[in-house]
Amino acid sequence: MTYREIYDRLRDSAEDKIDKKRKGKIRAVLGYSKCSVSVGANEVLKAMQEVLVEGEIEDVIIETTGCIGLCSKEPLLEIYTKDGDRYTYELVTPKKARAIILSHSLYDEELEEYILKM
């Protein structure tokens, strides 16, 4: 077996585990780089974690990613719904993050007023 074949097997196995973990759940992906942290991403992440615990919400997975490239709109939060829709929220504060998580997880509704406008 070549190194490439070993790598491909390991990657496929990891992707399968990730897919199973995400299946049937909402993904909340927070841009988390130097620019987002400087404008409050730490507090946003903490608020998202708290609302999941306080609300006993189990169908949301919080993830972070690197630079999204829109520094003037940070912190940015992307929500991937169970149906595969994606919403990108701009200038997210801890209060907005809580509202976004609750709206998507409890009511399956986006918050139009916070969505990124380009």
Side-chain angles (χ1 to χ4, degrees), residues 52-64:
L52 294 184
V53 171
E54 292 165 3
E56 297 180 4
I57 299 169
E58 296 182 4
D59 66 341
V60 176
I61 296 173
I62 297 172
E63 300 175 356
T64 58

Side-chain angles (χ1 to χ4, degrees), residues 8-107:
D8 288 342
R9 277 190 177 180
L10 288 172
R11 182 181 180 97
D12 290 343
S13 174
E15 286 176 351
D16 287 344
K17 288 178 183 177
I18 290 170
D19 288 343
K20 286 178 185 175
K21 177 183 172 187
R22 290 177 175 167
K23 187 173 184 160
K25 299 198 182 224
I26 297 166
R27 290 178 53 222
V29 183
L30 179 65
Y32 201 78
S33 60
K34 191 179 285 190
C35 54
S36 58
V37 169
S38 71
V39 292
N42 283 330
E43 293 78 13
V44 170
L45 181 60
K46 183 179 176 188
M48 291 185 344
Q49 293 167 335
E50 288 172 352
V51 76
L52 294 184
V53 171
E54 292 165 3
E56 297 180 4
I57 299 169
E58 296 182 4
D59 66 341
V60 176
I61 296 173
I62 297 172
E63 300 175 356
T64 58
T65 190
C67 180
I68 296 174
L70 295 169
C71 297
S72 66
K73 303 293 184 178
E74 292 285 356
L76 287 163
L77 175 60
E78 292 187 328
I79 300 291
Y80 295 86
T81 68
K82 295 175 186 179
D83 297 329
D85 296 326
R86 183 182 90 183
Y87 299 94
T88 302
Y89 294 94
E90 66 179 347
L91 304 170
V92 178
T93 63
K95 184 177 178 180
K96 287 181 184 179
R98 287 175 168 273
I100 291 165
I101 296 293
L102 290 172
S103 182
H104 280 279
S105 64
L106 299 180
Y107 307 111

